[in-house]
Amino acid sequence: MKPVALFVTCLVDQLYPRVGEAAVRVLERAGCTVAFPEEQTCCGQAAFNNGFQEEARVLARRFLDVFADAPAIVAPSGSCADMVREWYPHLFRDAPALLDLARSVASRTFELSEYLVRVLGVTDLGARFPATVTYHPSCHGLRGLGLRDEPLGLLRAVRDLRFVELPAAEQCCGFGGFFSIKFAALSGAMLSAKLDTIEASGAEVVTATDVSCLMHISGGLSRRCSRVRALHLAEILAGS
Amino acid sequence: MNRPVPPGDGLVDDPVALFSERAEQVGISVITVGTYDEAVERAVALCRERRVQRAALWDTPEMAPIRDRLRAEGVEILDPRGSFETLAGAEIGITGAEWGVAETGSLVLSAGPGKPQAASLLAPLHIAVLRSDRIVPGLATLLERCGPLPSALVLITGPSRSADIGLVPVLGAHGPTAVAVLLVAGLFLGDSG
Amino acid sequence: MPDHPTRIDLIRNIERALRDESLQRQMGKAMPASRRARADAVAELPEWESLRSAAAGIKDHVLADLEKYLRQLESQISALGGTVHWAFDAAEARAIITDLARSRGVRRIVKSKSMTTEEIFLNPALEAAGARVVETDLGEYVVQLAGERPSHLIAPVVHKPTEEIADLFVKKLGVPRYERPEELARVAREVLRAEFLAAEMGITGVNFAIAESGTLVIVENEGNARLTTARPRIHVAVMGVEKVLPQLADLSVFLRILARSGTGQRASVYVSLLTGPRRAGETDGPEELHLIILDNGRRRLLADPDLRGALRCIRCGACQNECPVYQHAGGHAYGSVYAGPIGAVLTPAYEGLERARDLPFVSTLCRACADVCPVKIDLPGMLVELRARAVRTGLASWRDRMLVGAWTFFTRSPARFMLAGSLGRLAQRLVARGGKIERLPYPLSGWTAHRTAPVLASTPFRTWWKSRQGEGR
């Protein structure tokens, strides 16, 4: 049994607990013992991306304390995992006492599909999901963590799932954290282009590795009264 | 900080074949001939087909046979050492090309006395005569060998083009609408005439 | 800086762009096509990544020893009979060039496309000095006729549909209405050919300058730069200090990455390597060659370790083509000469963060730009850095401070986080209908203007987790 600490992320905790529950089931199915360190809150990405690095450092310090001893930290979010991996060492570059810890925690932090495929070597989780599904590769997972084949391999192994390609899949959905509020109309235009491709794909379900992008996409689909549903990859992998 | 060594060209099995393929892809017509005499014949034939009345040629020994033949056909040869305005009246420009670049399908022309840039630039049709043994695999090799540099060394990769209006590619934006190369495949002996 | 008096109103510019249907149509067509062309051209080269690393390495090497290479370039150009002028800022550069024109009695000037001369607002200064200045790149010519500025590094008129150009030609040139691009191009060719023949001075930018040989390299597709440098008696080339390369051998790397990144070509149609003015016995090429080496904020950027990498930029336009924000906002929205991701870095760096405070924020940090940049500029990292500087220097808006303040207050401990959740669940009773929220009040109203908002779950994850642990599973 592989021990992992789940970093569920703030959005999942309060808005999409079912994604967290699914992630737990999937990890357990893959042979992990899941712990949930209850002192966790938020990785600080929202503040960091908006330029508030002092505030981000406070949250990052908290994260480092909470997960200092975790053997592996797994998050159902490419952007949060990328925040820890890419930017924590940057945030503490002038604090030698914390830099080593930041690097060490960074090296132990993974996005869910990344952990399943790259670390555990698992692609088939015995899931069944009878629907037509397309996949939006979230930017930070795709270009930050280099996740291309991992999520697709997992989807391909799901029984009864019909996979369809998403046109221009690698285009950003326009979320970008506070960007979606500051530049709401621009973000909306980018979203609209993404929704057009999702609807054109013929999928009944669009999936991704990040609830942030999915919150954006599902908000747009719901405003359009579209029949396409947005589900996190973990929810599909937990299907049986 | 040491200057990083720029990578050289990749291996190219057959530079002449690659040059021909890629030059065609960018819109340069490649006319392969066995001898220089044949190149002269083809150049004259091209002018005849197009009913060329005025031509601009480089003033080099290599161009002399073409010049003489065209003159004999009644084509006016514009003074290669004349003004830009004069050369702007040409319907065809015929030049040499010092090098060919296989990777990009480019012709390389150097400026010099009797070798005005105007000859490869102003007329709607530009024809260059290139020896196949002057084709290098890529830009790195070219830049190793092309010195000492003339006042202008120009790499030409296709007809003048622009896609500025409506994203539609248009040929002949400012320079030639068509470019052809007479590729002399055999050894170049310069013994015609 | 008098050239840049006011704050760039990015939000308003973007809203205007989003309402401009022809712009959206045009960009929606052009940008994906450019992305595909680049991807195909790059996929053909197995050594692409090593070329990028080499290019970045050579640029960093030059930047580390910039003054040495610039002095070498100057002495080579002087030895060839050219003249080098040093300009600290835009005003100095304008003064040098207008003085050259005035002292030599120049009345007619042709220009080939140059972002650096856009940066120094050269054309109005020359016109004020009594010279007629004509842009000769087809796109730039259209931009000039329309009284606009270019909106893209290599496709200056990408924002303009053909019908508008057709109307513009009728109005400005008095020609019949031609609608096909090739007809419009032919009209421009004829008008501009006459300008070339009459011009006394040609002004160009410089893509690369080779220190060891004093060679200026100009890359183009149309042939207008060749005409600009071959015909007029005087050639004035304007380059930023960062354009110098040590040796001719370095050039192959940059030529290979520039054309493929910019237009998806293996090579641009014309690459001119110009080494000094016209030589004895030659009948074209300039009699006088002047090189203006411009600082205009570049050495300040060089001294900035977090941002100096932006000086590697070779102005290929790939980051613009790839950027979803640029595609929807268009180049003009960025309010300055450089648009897109590189503009969001360069404009604050050159013109001040105060004026350009919003620019670093207009990105989702999707990193598409960093993936394609042929000289590996860490654009997202620089945007993040500039955002931090904006916040540190008090340029963050009240709304941002409030949102981030509230966020960090409530995420500082699980207890506060749960409290926030409870408060939110109470509040959302007022606005949630059918498991979603159609309208939120300021400062979140922007979200619901374009999408519905999710509701907070009745049972947070950690509550579920606790009860699951309690059950002993």
Side-chain angles (χ1 to χ4, degrees), chain C residues 3-16:
Chain C
D3 285 338
H4 308 291
T6 52
R7 180 176 164 188
I8 297 169
D9 195 343
L10 189 59
I11 302 274
R12 203 196 55 189
N13 294 351
I14 289 172
E15 276 168 6
R16 189 183 300 152

mmCIF file of all heavy atoms in Angstrom, chain C residues 3-16:
data_model
loop_
_atom_site.group_PDB
_atom_site.id
_atom_site.type_symbol
_atom_site.label_atom_id
_atom_site.label_comp_id
_atom_site.label_asym_id
_atom_site.label_seq_id
_atom_site.Cartn_x
_atom_site.Cartn_y
_atom_site.Cartn_z
ATOM 1 N N ASP C 3 6.749 61.124 -24.821
ATOM 2 C CA ASP C 3 6.156 60.307 -25.878
ATOM 3 C C ASP C 3 5.014 59.445 -25.347
ATOM 4 O O ASP C 3 4.173 58.980 -26.090
ATOM 5 C CB ASP C 3 7.212 59.375 -26.496
ATOM 6 C CG ASP C 3 8.153 60.150 -27.402
ATOM 7 O OD1 ASP C 3 7.758 61.236 -27.854
ATOM 8 O OD2 ASP C 3 9.267 59.678 -27.640
ATOM 9 N N HIS C 4 5.009 59.197 -24.042
ATOM 10 C CA HIS C 4 4.018 58.280 -23.482
ATOM 11 C C HIS C 4 3.348 58.913 -22.273
ATOM 12 O O HIS C 4 3.657 58.583 -21.142
ATOM 13 C CB HIS C 4 4.683 56.981 -23.050
ATOM 14 C CG HIS C 4 5.502 56.366 -24.126
ATOM 15 N ND1 HIS C 4 4.930 55.818 -25.250
ATOM 16 C CD2 HIS C 4 6.836 56.226 -24.267
ATOM 17 C CE1 HIS C 4 5.904 55.352 -26.022
ATOM 18 N NE2 HIS C 4 7.060 55.591 -25.458
ATOM 19 N N PRO C 5 2.457 59.878 -22.507
ATOM 20 C CA PRO C 5 1.974 60.660 -21.378
ATOM 21 C C PRO C 5 0.991 59.948 -20.454
ATOM 22 O O PRO C 5 1.068 60.081 -19.260
ATOM 23 C CB PRO C 5 1.309 61.861 -22.046
ATOM 24 C CG PRO C 5 0.940 61.385 -23.413
ATOM 25 C CD PRO C 5 1.858 60.267 -23.754
ATOM 26 N N THR C 6 0.062 59.169 -21.017
ATOM 27 C CA THR C 6 -1.050 58.741 -20.187
ATOM 28 C C THR C 6 -1.072 57.240 -19.961
ATOM 29 O O THR C 6 -0.413 56.480 -20.668
ATOM 30 C CB THR C 6 -2.388 59.109 -20.858
ATOM 31 O OG1 THR C 6 -2.353 58.603 -22.190
ATOM 32 C CG2 THR C 6 -2.594 60.602 -20.894
ATOM 33 N N ARG C 7 -1.858 56.850 -18.993
ATOM 34 C CA ARG C 7 -2.004 55.440 -18.667
ATOM 35 C C ARG C 7 -2.761 54.716 -19.783
ATOM 36 O O ARG C 7 -3.734 55.236 -20.329
ATOM 37 C CB ARG C 7 -2.782 55.342 -17.358
ATOM 38 C CG ARG C 7 -3.007 53.924 -16.921
ATOM 39 C CD ARG C 7 -3.692 53.895 -15.572
ATOM 40 N NE ARG C 7 -4.240 52.564 -15.350
ATOM 41 C CZ ARG C 7 -5.029 52.263 -14.335
ATOM 42 N NH1 ARG C 7 -5.378 53.178 -13.469
ATOM 43 N NH2 ARG C 7 -5.482 51.030 -14.202
ATOM 44 N N ILE C 8 -2.298 53.528 -20.119
ATOM 45 C CA ILE C 8 -2.974 52.744 -21.166
ATOM 46 C C ILE C 8 -4.284 52.196 -20.604
ATOM 47 O O ILE C 8 -4.280 51.508 -19.580
ATOM 48 C CB ILE C 8 -2.068 51.576 -21.630
ATOM 49 C CG1 ILE C 8 -0.788 52.131 -22.258
ATOM 50 C CG2 ILE C 8 -2.815 50.676 -22.608
ATOM 51 C CD1 ILE C 8 0.283 51.083 -22.513
ATOM 52 N N ASP C 9 -5.385 52.529 -21.269
ATOM 53 C CA ASP C 9 -6.690 52.075 -20.791
ATOM 54 C C ASP C 9 -7.015 50.723 -21.422
ATOM 55 O O ASP C 9 -7.780 50.609 -22.382
ATOM 56 C CB ASP C 9 -7.772 53.103 -21.123
ATOM 57 C CG ASP C 9 -9.052 52.852 -20.344
ATOM 58 O OD1 ASP C 9 -9.210 51.730 -19.819
ATOM 59 O OD2 ASP C 9 -9.888 53.768 -20.271
ATOM 60 N N LEU C 10 -6.399 49.709 -20.850
ATOM 61 C CA LEU C 10 -6.456 48.373 -21.441
ATOM 62 C C LEU C 10 -7.886 47.830 -21.491
ATOM 63 O O LEU C 10 -8.306 47.259 -22.499
ATOM 64 C CB LEU C 10 -5.551 47.449 -20.628
ATOM 65 C CG LEU C 10 -5.280 46.064 -21.185
ATOM 66 C CD1 LEU C 10 -4.645 46.145 -22.556
ATOM 67 C CD2 LEU C 10 -4.360 45.296 -20.243
ATOM 68 N N ILE C 11 -8.603 48.013 -20.398
ATOM 69 C CA ILE C 11 -9.964 47.452 -20.323
ATOM 70 C C ILE C 11 -10.833 48.037 -21.441
ATOM 71 O O ILE C 11 -11.517 47.316 -22.167
ATOM 72 C CB ILE C 11 -10.594 47.755 -18.948
ATOM 73 C CG1 ILE C 11 -9.739 47.193 -17.824
ATOM 74 C CG2 ILE C 11 -12.044 47.269 -18.899
ATOM 75 C CD1 ILE C 11 -9.990 45.755 -17.474
ATOM 76 N N ARG C 12 -10.766 49.354 -21.600
ATOM 77 C CA ARG C 12 -11.590 49.990 -22.628
ATOM 78 C C ARG C 12 -11.144 49.546 -24.028
ATOM 79 O O ARG C 12 -11.958 49.263 -24.892
ATOM 80 C CB ARG C 12 -11.492 51.522 -22.508
ATOM 81 C CG ARG C 12 -12.679 52.238 -23.107
ATOM 82 C CD ARG C 12 -12.370 53.706 -23.315
ATOM 83 N NE ARG C 12 -11.146 53.846 -24.121
ATOM 84 C CZ ARG C 12 -10.525 55.007 -24.324
ATOM 85 N NH1 ARG C 12 -10.992 56.110 -23.787
ATOM 86 N NH2 ARG C 12 -9.443 55.059 -25.077
ATOM 87 N N ASN C 13 -9.822 49.485 -24.228
ATOM 88 C CA ASN C 13 -9.305 49.043 -25.524
ATOM 89 C C ASN C 13 -9.788 47.638 -25.860
ATOM 90 O O ASN C 13 -10.142 47.350 -27.010
ATOM 91 C CB ASN C 13 -7.770 49.024 -25.514
ATOM 92 C CG ASN C 13 -7.178 50.417 -25.377
ATOM 93 O OD1 ASN C 13 -7.896 51.414 -25.447
ATOM 94 N ND2 ASN C 13 -5.877 50.492 -25.162
ATOM 95 N N ILE C 14 -9.790 46.773 -24.868
ATOM 96 C CA ILE C 14 -10.200 45.391 -25.114
ATOM 97 C C ILE C 14 -11.691 45.324 -25.412
ATOM 98 O O ILE C 14 -12.127 44.604 -26.310
ATOM 99 C CB ILE C 14 -9.834 44.490 -23.912
ATOM 100 C CG1 ILE C 14 -8.326 44.306 -23.842
ATOM 101 C CG2 ILE C 14 -10.534 43.136 -24.013
ATOM 102 C CD1 ILE C 14 -7.845 43.596 -22.603
ATOM 103 N N GLU C 15 -12.463 46.100 -24.662
ATOM 104 C CA GLU C 15 -13.903 46.077 -24.918
ATOM 105 C C GLU C 15 -14.215 46.537 -26.332
ATOM 106 O O GLU C 15 -15.065 45.972 -27.018
ATOM 107 C CB GLU C 15 -14.654 46.915 -23.866
ATOM 108 C CG GLU C 15 -14.890 46.070 -22.626
ATOM 109 C CD GLU C 15 -15.369 46.850 -21.429
ATOM 110 O OE1 GLU C 15 -15.639 48.071 -21.579
ATOM 111 O OE2 GLU C 15 -15.462 46.246 -20.344
ATOM 112 N N ARG C 16 -13.472 47.553 -26.755
ATOM 113 C CA ARG C 16 -13.662 48.038 -28.129
ATOM 114 C C ARG C 16 -13.302 46.930 -29.129
ATOM 115 O O ARG C 16 -14.020 46.702 -30.108
ATOM 116 C CB ARG C 16 -12.788 49.275 -28.358
ATOM 117 C CG ARG C 16 -13.083 49.979 -29.666
ATOM 118 C CD ARG C 16 -12.136 51.150 -29.887
ATOM 119 N NE ARG C 16 -12.240 52.152 -28.834
ATOM 120 C CZ ARG C 16 -11.235 52.955 -28.466
ATOM 121 N NH1 ARG C 16 -10.050 52.844 -29.035
ATOM 122 N NH2 ARG C 16 -11.400 53.857 -27.526
#
